[in-house]
Amino acid sequence: MYPTVAEVLALPVVRQGRPRVVAGSPGLGSGVRWVHVAEVADIGHLLKGGELVLTTGVALPDDPRALGDYMDDLADAGVAGLVVELIRHWNHALPSALIEAAEANGIPLVTLSRETRFVSVSEAVNGLIVDAQIAELRAAEQVHQTFTELTVAGAEPATVLREVVRLTGRPTVLETLSHEVLAYDAAGTDPGELLASWLSRSRNVHLGERTGYHTESGWLVTVVGARGHDWGRLVVVADEPPPHRHVVVVERAASALAVHRLVARDTDGPERQAHRAVLAQLLACPVPSAELLARASALGVPLTGRQLVGVAIRPRLTAARDPASSVPPVLRDLAEAASLAARRAKVSALVAFVDELTVHALLSLSPQATVDAVLGRLSADLKPSRIPNVLAAGTTVDSPAHARRSLVEAAQVAAAALHAPADRAVHRLEDVRLRGLLQLLADDERVRAFSARELGPLLSRDAASGTRLVQALRHYCEHGGNKSAAAAAAHTSRTAYYQQLGRIEQILGVPLEDPESMLSLYVALLAHDLS
């Protein structure tokens, strides 16, 4: 906010005095809070710090020790610099004791070889300071207005972070208190470099206040939370101590993020959103990028040098949508239950729903882990859930490039197993057999046409008359043509059931006892279920 000593020396009113820096040049970047004209030696106790002291030197001593004490007093007061006019006391050069003391204290010491109107210097510099303060106030008001609008609009974390980057020009990261990255904006830099080893780097950044600058890491950090519940940290990566306006930006951004979390309590939180974004890209990209791998690692789920297992969890009941929410409540609850189960099992996993039917998870296991044992623990933890579900697992792979195949396979198995008996804890491709094959072909129009051709007349009769002939046919096929067992399963007398089978044969025009007919009809029933 304040002009530096170097900027003051560049002003025309100062340049007329032919300024020359004779000591303390590294301090030329110090900010000048005010200009103070002082013609007394005992001035240090009257200063507050940040002043640029102007003097003709007429009241300064010549004694080397006294000059050293004078500079020490100025250093203790925290002055930005000392400007001495070489006209009235010293004519050609300053005493070496004064120069040495200034150099030792790191205070810029400047001489003016021509007479200079100090009042003009004060007016010019103090005018700059006032203008800077007004600009700072205007910027603060703009920040306030910007984040108020974002808060009212219920802006997502990605939008809030994008605004932080626009106002600070620095990479920004939102993380949990356990240092997992929820969202980030690299501000045009390399995301892989920004997120590299994030967990270990973030764990080393400790602050004793809610907002502060960590010098060793170069991070401006503020805690995110509301109503006594802190849940994250907002980090702005800076190469040097940030200006006050950047502090205002991160604090207002943190407030907007906290309010969004409170308002969006009935939707998926930032952690699920971050997991969903990574899973969606893994499903969309055959070959994961270095940035995607870094994002997963920053979420605490490394994907290289690990056993990777795709998991799909589908509720056995309809995932109805809440009109006030973009998230099906059943899937949201199931995703949270799966995430909790993974944490209890001490398994690193990406967990989220990518579509409106399935909760996807990618387990990242050590090379020594037993996959079946881990899946068994997850299934056992999910079983008591109030949401009946099917858990399916894909093939175990050892490369991020094959993670997509495992995830897709798990989703297909879960969809096929949804109609199978609930007698398995974990379903795999070899368990679903014909259902699995049909699930792979579920979107094929030829399969749909076959199902409609085989069952169409029967479906139409049930719809028109309210009969349950399709269900009767299902029992017959599932019991391998055993009429007595099928009648028992249908809770119907054998006489009534045999009459139903007769009507089915009449409507479809095929003999049910023919093995090929029964097989065709059973395949059509399975395809119809999947569609």
Side-chain angles (χ1 to χ4, degrees), residues 147-170:
F147 286 104
T148 297
E149 292 174 353
L150 290 177
T151 300
V152 172
E156 297 287 337
T159 303
V160 176
L161 265 60
R162 186 163 56 248
E163 199 61 34
V164 173
V165 168
R166 186 184 72 82
L167 293 170
T168 65
R170 306 301 307 167

Side-chain angles (χ1 to χ4, degrees), residues 12-213:
V13 68
V14 179
R15 288 170 60 86
Q16 290 176 1
R18 295 180 181 176
R20 187 167 75 91
V21 180
V22 297
S25 57
L28 292 175
S30 301
V32 176
R33 187 182 61 81
W34 205 249
V35 172
H36 195 86
V37 180
E39 296 297 354
V40 294
D42 186 19
I43 187 63
H45 68 286
L46 299 176
L47 303 175
K48 295 183 178 180
E51 294 91 351
L52 180 63
V53 178
L54 308 181
T55 181
T56 62
V58 293
L60 296 184
D62 291 310
D63 178 62
R65 181 182 295 275
L67 288 173
D69 291 342
Y70 172 70
M71 288 303 302
D72 289 342
D73 288 343
L74 293 181
D76 291 341
V79 300
L82 175 64
V83 178
V84 182
E85 187 183 74
L86 296 179
I87 301 293
R88 291 170 177 79
H89 188 170
W90 299 294
N91 299 111
H92 302 292
L94 296 177
S96 59
L98 187 65
I99 296 174
E100 291 169 1
E103 190 68 39
N105 285 289
I107 297 177
L109 180 58
V110 181
T111 62
L112 298 174
S113 59
R114 296 179 62 179
E115 186 175 29
T116 303
R117 291 171 59 87
F118 283 173
V119 65
S120 299
V121 174
S122 297
E123 288 177 348
V125 177
N126 293 341
L128 282 179
I129 295 171
V130 170
D131 289 344
Q133 290 174 331
I134 292 174
E136 190 77 7
L137 289 173
R138 288 174 177 166
E141 176 61 26
Q142 181 62 41
V143 168
H144 172 77
Q145 180 179 349
T146 296
F147 286 104
T148 297
E149 292 174 353
L150 290 177
T151 300
V152 172
E156 297 287 337
T159 303
V160 176
L161 265 60
R162 186 163 56 248
E163 199 61 34
V164 173
V165 168
R166 186 184 72 82
L167 293 170
T168 65
R170 306 301 307 167
T172 304
V173 177
L174 174 64
E175 65 170 11
T176 66
L177 292 181
S178 56
H179 312 290
E180 297 175 353
V181 175
L182 299 176
Y184 71 93
D185 191 314
T189 63
D190 179 11
E193 182 178 344
L194 172 65
L195 301 178
S197 304
W198 182 269
L199 287 173
S200 59
R201 289 160 56 201
S202 182
R203 289 192 184 107
N204 293 324
V205 178
H206 303 282
L207 296 174
E209 50 191 343
R210 290 190 68 83
T211 303
Y213 180 72

Side-chain angles (χ1 to χ4, degrees), residues 282-298:
L282 283 171
L283 287 166
C285 304
V287 181
S289 64
E291 177 190 349
L292 188 59
L293 298 180
R295 288 174 62 187
S297 180

Side-chain angles (χ1 to χ4, degrees), residues 194-397:
L194 172 65
L195 301 178
S197 304
W198 182 269
L199 287 173
S200 59
R201 289 160 56 201
S202 182
R203 289 192 184 107
N204 293 324
V205 178
H206 303 282
L207 296 174
E209 50 191 343
R210 290 190 68 83
T211 303
Y213 180 72
H214 191 262
T215 306
E216 289 76 10
S217 63
W219 287 7
L220 172 61
V221 182
T222 190
V223 176
V224 183
R227 296 182 180 177
H229 176 63
D230 296 332
W231 53 266
R233 300 198 306 179
L234 185 61
V235 178
V236 172
V237 181
D239 299 328
E240 56 187 18
H244 177 69
R245 65 178 178 275
H246 288 185
V247 176
V248 174
V249 168
V250 297
E251 289 182 337
R252 287 308 313 274
S255 297
L257 291 167
V259 171
H260 174 268
R261 176 129 177 177
L262 289 174
V263 173
R265 182 169 292 175
D266 292 333
T267 64
D268 54 333
E271 184 178 1
R272 293 281 74 74
Q273 293 177 17
H275 283 219
R276 183 167 68 244
V278 174
L279 283 170
Q281 287 201 34
L282 283 171
L283 287 166
C285 304
V287 181
S289 64
E291 177 190 349
L292 188 59
L293 298 180
R295 288 174 62 187
S297 180
L299 282 167
V301 188
L303 300 183
T304 55
R306 310 278 290 182
Q307 295 186 87
L308 304 178
V309 185
V311 172
I313 309 167
R314 286 191 61 160
R316 286 188 178 274
L317 46 88
T318 304
R321 180 186 293 279
D322 182 352
S325 169
S326 61
V327 183
V330 168
L331 283 185
R332 183 177 63 244
D333 295 345
L334 194 55
E336 290 300 329
S339 178
L340 180 59
R343 287 197 294 270
R344 286 175 176 168
K346 298 181 179 179
V347 173
S348 297
L350 297 168
V351 183
F353 55 88
V354 181
D355 54 48
E356 296 183 1
L357 298 173
T358 311
V359 172
H360 293 265
L362 181 64
L363 309 186
S364 173
L365 309 178
S366 68
Q368 297 77 30
T370 303
V371 174
D372 288 341
V374 172
L375 291 171
R377 292 201 300 272
L378 290 178
S379 175
D381 211 337
L382 282 172
K383 202 166 213 177
S385 169
R386 63 183 179 84
I387 307 170
N389 60 81
V390 169
L391 189 149
T395 303
T396 302
V397 298

